[in-house]
Amino acid sequence: MYPDTADTLRKLSCDHWIGIASNCQEGYIETFLEVSKLGDVVDSFISNGETGLDKDENLRILMERNGLHFALYIGDTSGDRLSARKAGIPFIWCRYGFGNEVTPDGIDDLSQLPYVLTE
């Protein structure tokens, strides 16, 4: 995990719903949550391996499943940004991970997210 990720997620989970939407295989998120000991922090998750659907469709399903009328997607690739747009939800670019694009409106790492959410 990237530095401060677990602490940031724990802090955010006190006041925010946290979900994971991933293009990973089925079982990967469950393994990640077990190994990272973040299972109590993540409220719900969905993956392409589970549904066979694209991420934008999975984002909509995740929101519907959990009765969410608003969501904010944080991601690190242009595909994440496109998926958020297709799902009709705002996107925050995080300049870590797999993405190599640089946008001026993003955050450098997840630890900045609590400050962005209070602005």
Side-chain angles (χ1 to χ4, degrees), residues 7-68:
D7 290 339
T8 300
L9 290 174
R10 287 194 184 288
K11 178 179 180 178
L12 287 171
S13 71
C14 293
D15 299 316
H16 297 81
W17 183 94
I18 296 180
I20 297 175
S22 176
N23 290 330
C24 67
Q25 64 193 13
E26 190 170 12
Y28 183 87
I29 297 171
E30 295 90 334
T31 300
F32 166 76
L33 293 175
E34 183 179 326
V35 170
S36 67
K37 298 184 180 12
L38 289 172
D40 61 324
V41 171
V42 175
D43 296 296
S44 189
F45 56 85
I46 194 167
S47 69
N48 171 269
E50 173 190 343
T51 66
L53 300 172
D54 290 336
K55 192 177 281 186
D56 60 293
E57 295 171 284
N58 281 334
L59 287 168
R60 286 190 288 270
I61 290 170
L62 193 60
M63 290 175 66
E64 185 177 307
R65 239 187 231 171
N66 292 280
L68 302 174

Side-chain angles (χ1 to χ4, degrees), residues 47 59 74 89 91:
S47 69
L59 287 168
I74 294 91
I89 59 176
F91 177 76

Side-chain angles (χ1 to χ4, degrees), residues 82-100:
L82 180 60
S83 293
R85 185 178 306 142
K86 285 182 174 179
I89 59 176
F91 177 76
I92 293 180
W93 182 272
C94 195
R95 292 183 282 267
Y96 65 83
F98 297 107
N100 55 13

